Amino acid sequence: MSIAARSAFFHFSTRLQPWTGLKSTANNLKSPAVCCQRKKSSYTPPPAKYGGRHTVTLIPGDGIGPELLNHVRELFRFCCVPVDFEIVRVDSSASSEDDINNAVTAIKRNGVALKGNIETNHNLPPSHKSKNKLLRTSLDLYANVMHCQSLPGVPTRHKDIDVVIIRENTEGEYSSLEHENVPGVVESLKIITRVNSLRIAEYAFNLAREKGRRKVTAVHKANIMKLGDGLFLQCCKEVAAGYPDITFDNMIVDNTTMQLVSKPQQFDVMVMPNLYGNIVSNVCAGLVGGPGLVPGVNYGKDYAVFETATRNTGKSIANKNIANPTATLLASCLMLDHLKLHAYARMIRKAVLKTLSETQLHTADLGGQGTTSEVLHSIMQEIQRGGPRTTEQI
Amino acid sequence: MATLTKALKPILGRQLGNTAKVFGASVNSQRGKPTYSPPPAKYGGRHTVTLIPGDGIGPELLNHVRELFRFSCVPVDFEVVHVDSASTSEDDINNAITAIRRNGVALKGNIETNHTMPSNHKSRNNLLRTSLDLYANVMHCQSLPGVQTRHKNIDIIIIRENTEGEYSSLEHESVSGVVESLKIITRNNSLRIADYAFRLAREKGRRRVTAVHKANIMKLADGLFLQCCKEVASGYPDIEFDSMIVDNTTMQLVSKPHQFDVMVMPNLYGNVVSNVCAGLVGGPGLVPGANYGRDYAVFETATRNTGKSIANRNIANPTAMLLASCLMLDHLKLHDYANMIRGAILTTMNETRLHTIDIGGQGTTSEVVQSIMRIIQSSGPLTTEI
C-alpha cells in the first residue's frame, strides 16, 4: 500500500489501516467515506484533524433546534471539548433539494452530525419529500437506536424502565412510494426487504450482546401483513439462531403497546420495522417523562447522526426559553462517546443528570417552571465544581 | 323465512326495505344510524343473534354470556356457528357470514390466525369484517370504578376504519427478497368513516373530534384521509376538529390522555391506539368493542385477544365480553336488560376481592359471573332460579 499515492485523497484512514487491521476494498478507499466499519464493535471514529480536534456537522433545523444546539455549542466551548462544529443550514420551506444535499455532503465529509428536526410541511405537494428522511436514506442510516431509561428525579407513573429500541430507519412504510391510479383510491407501498431486515436484526443482536442484554423482542404484525412482516420476523429468527446466548421472542405490535403501558419492565431490547418503531419509541418516551428527555441516534455503516429520539420540531415553544435541553444535551454526550471522548461525555452527562434531580429546575414539560437558560447555567456550575478544565467565565 | 317476514310486514308496519331485499338474505336497510331499526323480533318477540365462539377464551366466556342471558330471561336466542381456525377451507367463515346476514347481529370471540400458515390463508376475522363491510370499529374507553389504574377518569371514543388501510392483505414479492405491502386509502371509505365519527360525536354530545394520521410521511394516503375528515368537519360547525400525528398521539396518550375526546383514524393506527387506551384503563379484559356496518353489527372485545394461554382455566376476565353483550342489547333496543346487566357488572367491579388476575386480584371467572347473577337477582324479580 503506497501511502503517498493515497494521500492525494482527502482522508486519513489509510494511515490508520495498517495499525487497526481493518479490511477495506479498493473501491472504498476512493470514496469520500472516511472509514470502513464492518461491525460497530470494531469501528474507529473519524480521525481527529487539525491538532486533535474533531469536526462535527451541525444542522440547526427548525423550532427549538437552533436554540438548543446553540446551548450545546456554548456548553462545549465552556468545557473545552475538542469538537468544532460545521454549521449547515437547511431551509425547510425551500422546494429545492440543494440545502439538504449540502448537508449530506458535509456529513459524508465529517462522518458525524448533530441535528435538530427539520419541519415537513404537509400542505406542500407530495413531490416535496421530508428532508429528514432524505438525509437518512442518502446516508443509509439504517439503525435508529433509542435507549429509554427512567431518569432519577423525574416523576413518572412507571419506574425503572430500561428499554433499548432498535428501529429500521430506511424502508418499511416510509418509502414515500404512493400513487393514485384511480381518482379517490391511493395506494401506499410498504417495502420490506430481506437484506435490510437481516441487517437490522444483526445490528440488534450485536448491540444486545455488546451491552450484555438478555432478550430481544421482535415487534411485528405478521398475522395481517403475512408476507411483509412475515419476512421481517423470519429474518429475525434466522439471525437469532446465531446468538444462542440471547433469548428471542416476538410480539404483535398492538399487544406490545398495551403491555408497554401496563408492564414496561418486561421489555429489554426491541427490534422492529420503521412505523412500529416510530410509535413504540414515542410511547416509551412518554413513559419516561416526555420528548424532552430522550436522545436518539441514527447509525449507518459509515456515518452517525445524533438527535432527539422523538424528532419534534417544537414549533410552539420555539424561542421562548422554556424548551427542555436534556434530550439534545444527552444526544451530544452520545456523540462524544461515539468519538471516543468518554471523559467529556461522562462529565457532561453527570452534570445533566444531577441538574435533572433538582425539581425547581424542571422545565414546563416536566411540570416545573424552570427556563432553559437556568438549566444550562446549573449544568455549567456543576461541571465547574467537578474539575478544573473549563473556561473562565460562566 | 321470507314468507314470515312478509307476513310480519303489515303487523310491524315498519320499513323493511324493498321487495327485493325481502327475498334476499339481509334483514333490514338502515341509511343512517339515528334512523336505524333493529332486526325485527321473530318468533314471539325473541331476537336471534349469531354467536361465533372463536378460539382461546372465547368459547368459555360466551358460554357465561349465554348462562347469564338465560338467567336474566333476556329475549335473545343464540345461533351458534363454529369456525375452525385450523382448516384451510373458507366454508366455515362463509357459513358464519351467511348466518350474520340472516340475523343482522352477532357476538363473537376472536378467531386465531396462525401466521406460520401460507399467506393465502387469510385472517378469518378480517374476512368477516370485509365481507360484511363493517366499516366502523367503535371502542368507548372508560375508566371503570374500582379498577386501579395509573390514569383516572379516562373517557375516549376511538373510531377506527375497519376495512381498508394496511389490512388490505394485498402483498406480493415481485423480486425475491423484496416484499411490497399495499396500504389502500380511498376517498369513499374515508368520507364514510369521518361522517360516522362526526355523527356519533353529535349524538353523544361530544365536543371534539381528533383525526390521527401520519401525513407528513404518507402524504398522499394519509393526506387524503385527513382531507376527507376536514371536508366532513366543515359540515359540523358545532364540533371542533383537530388533527395529530400518530407518534405524538401515542406519546400524549401515555402522559395526558384526558385531552382526547373522540378520535378517528385509519386501520393500523386504530389498532395501536385502541390497544394503548385499553392498557391505560386496565387491560384487555375490560373494554368491549363494536363493529358497525350499514346493515350489520358485530360485537366483541375491543382488543380482539384470543387469550390462548389462559383458556379453560377459569381465570379470564369476563367483563369485556359481558359489556360487549350489553352493547348488543342496546343495539337491539333492549335497554332495560342492558342497564340491568351493566349495573351488576360495575357493582361487581367495585369488589376488589372478585378481581381476576389481569387486574391484580385472585378471583375466578365463575365467581365473577355468580356475583353478577346474585346482584341481578337481588335487584328485581325477573330471573330464573340460580
Side-chain angles (χ1 to χ4, degrees):
Chain A
M1 276 210 306
S2 157
I3 293 177
R6 286 184 179 82
S7 63
F9 292 108
F10 184 65
H11 57 89
F12 299 83
S13 58
T14 47
R15 273 196 251 135
L16 287 173
Q17 245 143 41
W19 303 334
T20 56
L22 283 176
K23 289 186 292 178
S24 80
T25 62
N27 291 338
N28 266 345
L29 289 178
K30 295 192 172 60
S31 70
V34 194
C35 202
C36 168
Q37 65 224 54
R38 296 274 152 206
K39 292 191 198 145
K40 195 177 180 305
S41 47
S42 53
Y43 162 76
T44 318
K49 304 165 211 168
Y50 302 126
R53 297 181 68 81
H54 294 261
T55 310
V56 166
T57 309
L58 188 82
I59 302 171
D62 300 308
I64 51 175
E67 63 179 284
L68 293 183
L69 290 171
N70 272 340
H71 286 307
V72 170
R73 281 195 295 165
E74 240 180 81
L75 189 64
F76 275 25
R77 203 169 317 158
F78 176 77
C79 309
C80 304
V81 176
V83 168
D84 292 317
F85 287 107
E86 177 187 348
I87 302 179
V88 183
R89 284 185 212 283
V90 176
D91 184 6
S92 55
S93 46
S95 41
S96 92
E97 295 190 358
D98 288 341
D99 275 352
I100 197 67
N101 286 335
N102 287 342
V104 170
T105 314
I107 301 177
K108 286 195 187 172
R109 190 167 50 232
N110 296 323
V112 181
L114 187 59
K115 77 182 269 283
N117 199 42
I118 305 163
E119 190 191 345
T120 309
N121 188 349
H122 37 103
N123 295 319
L124 290 174
S127 54
H128 183 259
K129 301 197 188 307
S130 159
K131 304 266 192 306
N132 302 303
K133 220 181 86 50
L134 272 178
L135 203 126
R136 292 193 290 266
T137 46
S138 320
L139 297 168
D140 199 23
L141 302 169
Y142 64 93
N144 179 298
V145 181
M146 168 173 151
H147 188 180
C148 212
Q149 278 175 304
S150 294
L151 297 178
V154 179
T156 50
R157 293 185 172 87
H158 302 264
K159 316 270 172 241
D160 301 325
I161 297 177
D162 193 353
V163 185
V164 178
I165 297 170
I166 297 160
R167 160 188 177 187
E168 211 292 329
N169 216 7
T170 50
E171 57 174 19
E173 298 82 351
Y174 285 50
S175 332
S176 297
L177 294 167
E178 302 178 292
H179 53 264
E180 195 168 353
N181 283 335
V182 177
V185 177
V186 175
E187 289 181 352
S188 184
L189 286 171
K190 162 180 167 162
I191 316 275
I192 302 273
T193 57
R194 193 171 162 70
V195 171
N196 286 348
S197 305
L198 283 174
R199 192 167 62 160
I200 194 68
E202 189 63 52
Y203 185 91
F205 278 91
N206 238 343
L207 192 73
R209 185 172 266 174
E210 262 176 55
K211 299 212 175 212
R213 298 283 192 159
R214 303 254 43 85
K215 188 171 85 180
V216 173
T217 307
V219 178
H220 64 96
K221 192 124 185 98
N223 52 344
I224 301 289
M225 284 176 262
K226 293 169 182 295
L227 278 188
D229 286 351
L231 176 61
F232 180 81
L233 197 56
Q234 194 193 330
C235 293
C236 290
K237 284 183 183 155
E238 284 176 24
V239 173
Y243 291 80
D245 51 325
I246 299 176
T247 322
F248 172 70
D249 67 352
N250 63 72
M251 201 184 264
I252 300 185
V253 60
D254 51 16
N255 192 18
T256 307
T257 45
M258 185 155 60
Q259 298 292 328
L260 271 172
V261 297
S262 38
K263 287 191 286 287
Q265 293 82 5
Q266 62 180 295
F267 296 104
D268 194 357
V269 177
M270 297 163 74
V271 63
M272 58 200 89
N274 216 331
L275 183 68
Y276 312 145
N278 184 225
I279 293 173
V280 168
S281 50
N282 274 268
V283 172
C284 290
L287 293 175
V288 299
L293 294 179
V294 200
V297 195
N298 304 287
Y299 289 111
K301 192 168 70 99
D302 304 311
Y303 314 111
V305 175
F306 299 83
E307 55 177 350
T308 62
T310 46
R311 303 172 179 167
N312 297 94
T313 348
K315 251 195 322 180
S316 55
I317 52 171
N319 299 321
K320 288 190 189 163
N321 204 16
I322 51 175
N324 194 337
T326 311
T328 312
L329 289 171
L330 288 177
S332 61
C333 292
L334 288 178
M335 182 189 77
L336 292 173
D337 274 324
H338 183 81
L339 296 171
K340 305 274 201 284
L341 295 170
H342 296 299
Y344 292 102
R346 261 198 301 271
M347 179 174 77
I348 297 178
R349 193 174 285 130
K350 210 159 74 105
V352 171
L353 293 179
K354 184 92 194 327
T355 307
L356 210 52
S357 45
E358 309 249 348
T359 327
Q360 80 257 30
L361 285 172
H362 280 184
T363 43
D365 62 316
L366 296 174
Q369 285 158 345
T371 62
T372 318
S373 22
E374 279 173 23
V375 177
L376 252 303
H377 199 83
S378 159
I379 292 173
M380 291 200 211
Q381 267 174 333
E382 249 335 288
I383 290 176
Q384 189 159 61
R385 231 180 309 211
R389 281 190 71 84
T390 53
T391 60
E392 289 306 326
Q393 54 278 66
I394 280 194
Chain B
M1 184 187 324
T3 46
L4 191 61
T5 358
K6 257 179 111 172
L8 285 173
K9 214 168 158 177
I11 302 174
L12 294 174
R14 260 185 262 148
Q15 262 190 325
L16 285 182
N18 53 38
T19 334
K21 277 234 165 76
V22 173
F23 291 109
S26 77
V27 194
N28 213 331
S29 153
Q30 65 224 58
R31 297 276 150 203
K33 198 176 179 303
T35 53
Y36 162 74
S37 328
K42 305 166 211 168
Y43 303 127
R46 298 180 67 81
H47 295 260
T48 310
V49 167
T50 309
L51 188 82
I52 302 171
D55 301 308
I57 50 175
E60 64 179 283
L61 293 184
L62 289 169
N63 275 339
H64 286 303
V65 170
R66 281 198 288 175
E67 236 181 87
L68 188 64
F69 274 25
R70 203 169 318 158
F71 175 78
S72 322
C73 300
V74 176
V76 168
D77 292 318
F78 287 108
E79 178 187 349
V80 181
V81 182
H82 290 278
V83 175
D84 184 8
S85 55
S87 86
T88 41
S89 92
E90 294 190 359
D91 288 343
D92 276 352
I93 195 69
N94 286 335
N95 288 341
I97 292 170
T98 314
I100 301 178
R101 283 199 221 264
R102 191 167 47 232
N103 297 322
V105 181
L107 188 58
K108 75 182 270 283
N110 200 41
I111 306 163
E112 188 190 345
T113 308
N114 188 349
H115 37 104
T116 52
M117 287 178 85
S119 52
N120 55 353
H121 183 260
K122 298 192 192 305
S123 158
R124 300 281 182 255
N125 302 303
N126 202 10
L127 270 178
L128 203 129
R129 292 191 292 263
T130 46
S131 316
L132 297 169
D133 200 25
L134 301 169
Y135 64 91
N137 179 298
V138 180
M139 170 175 150
H140 188 178
C141 215
Q142 277 175 305
S143 295
L144 295 179
V147 178
Q148 290 282 47
T149 50
R150 293 186 172 88
H151 304 264
K152 316 270 173 241
N153 299 329
I154 295 179
D155 193 353
I156 303 176
I157 298 182
I158 297 169
I159 297 161
R160 160 189 177 184
E161 211 292 328
N162 216 5
T163 50
E164 57 173 20
E166 297 81 352
Y167 286 49
S168 333
S169 299
L170 294 167
E171 302 178 291
H172 54 264
E173 195 167 352
S174 309
V175 175
S176 113
V178 177
V179 175
E180 290 182 349
S181 188
L182 286 172
K183 162 179 166 165
I184 316 277
I185 300 274
T186 56
R187 194 173 162 68
N188 280 344
N189 288 348
S190 305
L191 285 173
R192 192 166 63 160
I193 193 69
D195 201 46
Y196 185 92
F198 278 90
R199 259 188 299 120
L200 191 73
R202 182 171 268 176
E203 256 175 63
K204 302 218 171 202
R206 297 285 194 160
R207 302 255 43 84
R208 194 171 80 221
V209 174
T210 307
V212 177
H213 64 94
K214 191 121 184 101
N216 52 342
I217 300 290
M218 284 176 262
K219 293 168 182 293
L220 279 188
D222 286 350
L224 176 61
F225 180 81
L226 197 56
Q227 195 194 329
C228 293
C229 290
K230 284 184 184 157
E231 283 177 25
V232 173
S234 55
Y236 291 80
D238 51 327
I239 299 176
E240 240 180 272
F241 172 72
D242 64 353
S243 69
M244 201 183 264
I245 299 185
V246 62
D247 51 14
N248 193 18
T249 307
T250 46
M251 186 156 60
Q252 298 291 327
L253 271 172
V254 297
S255 40
K256 290 193 279 288
H258 304 99
Q259 59 181 298
F260 296 103
D261 194 0
V262 177
M263 297 163 75
V264 64
M265 59 200 88
N267 217 332
L268 184 69
Y269 312 146
N271 184 225
V272 173
V273 168
S274 50
N275 274 266
V276 171
C277 289
L280 292 176
V281 299
L286 295 178
V287 199
N291 303 288
Y292 292 109
R294 198 172 62 118
D295 304 313
Y296 315 109
V298 175
F299 300 87
E300 55 177 352
T301 62
T303 47
R304 303 173 178 166
N305 297 95
T306 348
K308 247 192 327 177
S309 55
I310 52 172
N312 299 321
R313 283 161 61 186
N314 203 16
I315 51 175
N317 194 337
T319 311
M321 199 58 89
L322 290 170
L323 287 175
S325 60
C326 292
L327 288 179
M328 182 190 77
L329 292 173
D330 274 324
H331 183 79
L332 295 173
K333 303 271 201 284
L334 295 170
H335 296 296
D336 292 333
Y337 293 101
N339 289 334
M340 177 174 79
I341 297 177
R342 196 175 284 130
I345 296 172
L346 294 179
T347 316
T348 308
M349 271 290 114
N350 277 326
E351 310 249 352
T352 329
R353 61 183 174 77
L354 284 174
H355 282 183
T356 44
I357 295 181
D358 60 316
I359 35 183
Q362 284 159 345
T364 61
T365 318
S366 21
E367 278 173 26
V368 176
V369 179
Q370 285 287 332
S371 158
I372 294 172
M373 291 202 217
R374 257 199 306 270
I375 296 174
I376 292 177
Q377 186 161 59
S378 58
S379 66
L382 199 65
T383 55
T384 61
E385 316 288 89
I386 279 196

